[in-house]
């Protein structure tokens, strides 16, 4: 048997609101992190870093570090030059699984630096999720363990899936390994499958219905809960956009270019949006009859831009600041960037133009996960007005410093718009806009009107 990040808004919040313990914990190994990142970048090859994922300059391949499939963040994730282009790489029971489709349970994750591999053990079903909770998931009667082995030879990423037993006959063609591709960044970009070409469409199209599939919205009772069985009722399926052995995604874009080769079968390119509004494009290959060891074998070749540097990002309070509060902007930079630029705080003049109120080099804060961070403290600036942060060619949106900054359009829209629009059990209309009709009419009881 084989044990068990991605920065974003949580990192920003951590830094903006301050966390001394996190700073101290990171400070000790931040220099080593930077050294390792630089060495990996200069080597021109993929290598397991101290954060337990494969890194090559601006490309990171993260095997089973996240478990949030609903947010398209689980399994194998590929971040290419600052953009998450592929995710949810795992074995699934449907060609185009949705938000509440069966997911495996993860048991073990072993990192082997000597052999440059990460082995994750998972299994179906997840009994803790089967017909449980607010959004119960229905699992078919299918029990098996499997290992996903992700490794590198320096130039390529290799993925192998080993099953503990052959797949039952009724699931042949249904169970397969998938990789989801973020659609918005690919709209209008091209694909190439073994020399055949096409464009990633903005709108989904192409549906097929199995001859023996009869739509039957069967209700499955579970105590007091009732749900639809998702798998048997997905009669409409996406027609593959293309099939073949080797797929190249966005060959015209150096930042996104990605090649996937199935070494022991064919790949399908599918559009998950045919079944699910929040679906992505999917690359998939199925488990063949009788397959166990090496049931799936992929080679993934992300394009790596030599000497690529992530452009610094200015993180600040878009709400603005009260004159008396601490004001710290956070600069997020690439660990390979020898960052020594000055940042300016500009006050916007009523007639147009600006006045430079403060200009200095931000103070180094430390390394956290994939990036290096700097602080720019402008707490001493208290004058009422509109301001802007400028770093080289980048400029923030304007923001306000005022003792009235929280008086309107901060938390108030939550009460004025968000919560009313979310109100269930009634029709919600705003002027000419109908947000939604009466909904969820059968899932609650009204409290007694004469009871406090």
């Amino acid at each position: 048997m084989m044990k068990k990040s991605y920065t974003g808004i949580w990192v920003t919040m951590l830094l903006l609101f301050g966390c001394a313990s996190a700073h101290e914990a990171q400070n000790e190994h931040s220099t080593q992190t930077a050294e390792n990142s630089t060495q990996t970048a200069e080597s021109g090859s993929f290598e397991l870093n101290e954060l337990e994922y494969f890194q090559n300059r601006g490309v990171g391949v993260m095997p089973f570090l996240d478990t949030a499939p609903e947010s398209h963040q689980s399994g194998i994730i590929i971040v290419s030059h600052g953009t998450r282009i592929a995710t949810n790489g795992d074995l699934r029971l449907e060609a185009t699984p949705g938000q509440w489709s069966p997911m495996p349970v993860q048991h073990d994750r072993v990192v082997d630096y000597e052999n440059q591999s990460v082995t994750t053990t998972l299994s179906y079903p997840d009994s803790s999720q089967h017909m449980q909770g607010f959004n119960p998931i229905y699992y078919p009667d299918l029990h098996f363990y499997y290992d996903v082995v992700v490794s590198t030879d320096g130039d390529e990423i290799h993925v192998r899936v080993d099953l503990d037993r052959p797949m039952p006959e009724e699931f042949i063609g249904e169970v397969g390994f998938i990789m989801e591709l973020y659609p918005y960044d690919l709209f209008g970009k091209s694909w190439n499958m073994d020399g055949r070409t096409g464009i990633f469409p903005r709108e989904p199209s192409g549906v097929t219905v199995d001859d023996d599939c009869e739509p039957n919205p069967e209700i499955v009772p579970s105590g007091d809960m009732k749900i639809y069985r998702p798998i048997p009722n997905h009669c409409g399926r996406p027609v593959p956009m293309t099939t073949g052995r080797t797929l190249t995604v966005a060959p015209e874009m150096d930042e996104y270019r990605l090649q996937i080769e199935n070494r022991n079968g064919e790949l399908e390119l599918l559009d998950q949006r045919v079944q699910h509004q929040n679906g992505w494009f999917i690359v998939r290959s199925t488990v063949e009859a009788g397959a166990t060891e090496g049931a799936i074998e992929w080679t993934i070749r992300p394009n790596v831009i030599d000497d690529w540097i992530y452009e610094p990002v200015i993180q600040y309070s878009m709400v603005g600041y009260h004159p008396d509060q601490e004001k710290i902007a956070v600069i997020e930079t690439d660990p390979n960037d020898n960052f020594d630029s000055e940042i300016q705080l500009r006050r916007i003049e009523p007639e147009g133009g600006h006045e430079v109120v403060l200009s200095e080099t931000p103070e180094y804060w430390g390394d956290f996960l994939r990036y290096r961070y700097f602080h720019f403290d402008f707490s001493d600036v208290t004058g009422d007005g509109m301001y802007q942060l400028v770093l080289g060619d980048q400029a923030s949106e304007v923001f306000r410093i005022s003792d009235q900054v929280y008086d309107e359009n901060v938390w108030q829209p939550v009460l004025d718009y968000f919560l009313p629009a979310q109100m269930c059990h009634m029709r919600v209309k705003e002027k000419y806009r109908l947000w939604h009709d009466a909904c969820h009419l059968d899932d609650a009881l009204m409290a007694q009107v004469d009871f406090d």
Side-chain angles (χ1 to χ4, degrees):
M1 303 294 296
M2 285 28 93
K3 146 184 161 188
K4 181 175 153 101
S5 241
Y6 190 72
T7 61
I9 188 171
W10 303 115
V11 175
T12 305
M13 291 174 65
L14 170 69
L15 297 173
L16 285 175
F17 292 105
C19 181
S21 60
H23 185 184
E24 292 163 2
Q26 291 296 328
N27 200 35
E28 183 177 347
H29 73 270
S30 62
T31 302
Q32 183 64 42
T33 301
E35 291 174 355
N36 289 347
S37 299
T38 302
Q39 290 169 2
T40 301
E42 292 176 351
S43 68
S45 62
F46 284 99
E47 185 177 337
L48 265 173
N49 62 21
E50 72 286 349
L51 298 177
E52 300 185 353
Y53 66 84
F54 301 93
Q55 184 73 38
N56 184 358
R57 195 64 188 191
V59 179
V61 180
M62 305 170 183
F64 293 90
L65 284 172
D66 287 316
T67 53
E70 296 89 352
S71 61
H72 299 271
Q73 198 159 301
S74 69
I76 300 172
I77 298 173
I78 301 176
V79 177
S80 181
H81 308 102
T83 300
R84 180 169 54 122
I85 61 170
T87 186
N88 279 358
D90 200 357
L91 205 65
R92 302 298 296 270
L93 308 187
E94 301 168 77
T96 53
Q99 185 173 3
W100 307 117
S101 293
M103 278 291 297
V105 56
Q106 184 172 321
H107 299 283
D108 203 17
R109 184 175 183 274
V110 175
V111 179
D112 185 344
Y113 284 97
E114 182 178 354
N115 294 305
Q116 289 291 288
S117 67
V118 177
T119 301
T120 308
T121 299
L122 308 101
S123 71
Y124 280 97
D126 184 350
S127 58
S128 67
Q129 297 291 324
H130 177 60
M131 306 294 286
Q132 302 294 321
F134 182 74
N135 287 297
I137 298 174
Y138 177 80
Y139 282 80
D141 186 17
L142 177 64
H143 299 257
F144 67 97
Y145 280 79
Y146 64 100
D147 289 343
V148 179
V149 184
V150 183
S151 61
T152 185
D153 56 12
D155 296 327
E156 303 171 328
I157 300 294
H158 303 288
V159 179
R160 190 183 79 241
V161 177
D162 298 330
L163 306 177
D164 71 334
R165 67 194 68 182
M167 200 59 58
E169 182 179 354
E170 61 268 31
F171 289 95
I172 299 300
E174 299 297 324
V175 179
F177 191 86
I178 72 169
M179 181 73 77
E180 299 183 9
L181 309 175
Y182 182 50
Y184 184 82
D185 286 339
L186 294 177
F187 290 157
K189 308 299 188 301
S190 71
W191 53 259
N192 185 304
M193 179 79 86
D194 299 342
R196 296 183 301 278
T197 59
I199 299 291
F200 288 99
R202 183 171 294 274
E203 300 295 341
S205 64
V207 179
T208 182
V209 178
D210 295 339
D211 293 336
D212 59 350
C213 185
E214 297 181 4
N216 177 26
E218 177 185 359
I219 298 293
V220 181
S222 175
D224 294 332
M225 305 186 70
K226 296 181 179 181
I227 64 168
Y228 288 101
R229 296 180 62 187
I231 294 178
N233 292 290
H234 281 179
C235 288
R237 296 186 175 209
V239 175
M241 296 163 60
T242 186
T243 60
R245 193 176 186 87
T246 302
L247 172 70
T248 304
V249 177
E252 69 272 25
M253 286 199 65
D254 290 344
E255 294 88 350
Y256 294 169
R257 185 160 64 250
L258 173 70
Q259 189 174 83
I260 300 174
E261 178 186 356
N262 185 1
R263 301 206 304 274
N264 58 5
E266 282 200 333
L267 296 170
E268 294 179 314
L269 180 60
L270 303 166
D271 194 335
Q272 190 183 28
R273 298 173 299 162
V274 167
Q275 288 181 312
H276 307 284
Q277 289 179 327
N278 60 349
W280 291 16
F281 296 114
I282 284 183
V283 186
R284 175 178 184 257
S285 61
T286 58
V287 174
E288 301 298 327
T292 52
E293 186 174 351
I296 300 292
E297 291 188 272
W298 282 12
T299 294
I300 301 176
R301 304 181 185 95
N303 182 57
V304 180
I305 300 175
D306 294 338
D307 303 323
W308 180 83
I309 294 289
Y310 172 79
E311 290 189 0
V313 175
I314 307 171
Q315 302 172 343
Y316 64 101
S317 172
M318 292 180 289
V319 168
Y321 302 87
H322 189 280
D324 297 335
Q325 81 174 95
E326 185 179 55
K327 309 174 191 70
I328 296 178
V330 178
I331 315 301
E332 181 180 76
T333 71
D334 193 299
N336 297 295
D337 187 355
N338 297 320
F339 182 79
D340 59 358
S341 302
E342 284 196 348
I343 185 170
Q344 292 184 350
L345 176 67
R346 298 177 177 179
R347 178 187 172 99
I348 307 302
E349 300 291 354
E351 315 75 35
H354 64 268
E355 173 194 356
V356 177
V357 178
L358 187 62
S359 179
E360 62 182 44
T361 301
E363 179 184 355
Y364 173 66
W365 178 87
D367 288 6
F368 186 73
L369 298 182
R370 302 179 62 240
Y371 300 109
R372 179 166 296 163
Y373 293 89
F374 296 80
H375 278 183
F376 174 60
D377 191 336
F378 56 102
S379 300
D380 291 339
V381 178
T382 60
D384 190 289
M386 301 302 297
Y387 294 83
Q388 189 174 38
L389 293 164
V390 178
L391 178 66
D393 295 331
Q394 299 186 60
S396 73
E397 299 292 335
V398 293
F399 57 88
R400 188 181 181 200
I401 295 179
S402 170
D403 57 6
Q404 299 177 333
V405 70
Y406 297 110
D407 287 359
E408 59 183 358
N409 295 319
V410 181
W411 54 268
Q412 294 87 347
V414 175
L415 299 182
D416 292 342
Y417 294 96
F418 177 77
L419 290 180
Q422 294 291 313
M423 188 69 67
C424 294
H425 313 107
M426 62 183 62
R427 180 182 174 95
V428 179
K429 187 175 181 181
E430 177 206 359
K431 304 179 181 70
Y432 302 114
R433 175 186 294 168
L434 176 64
W435 283 95
H436 59 75
D437 208 344
C439 59
H440 292 277
L441 298 181
D442 59 351
D443 64 354
L445 296 177
M446 185 174 178
Q448 301 176 36
V449 295
D450 59 348
F451 177 77
D452 186 359

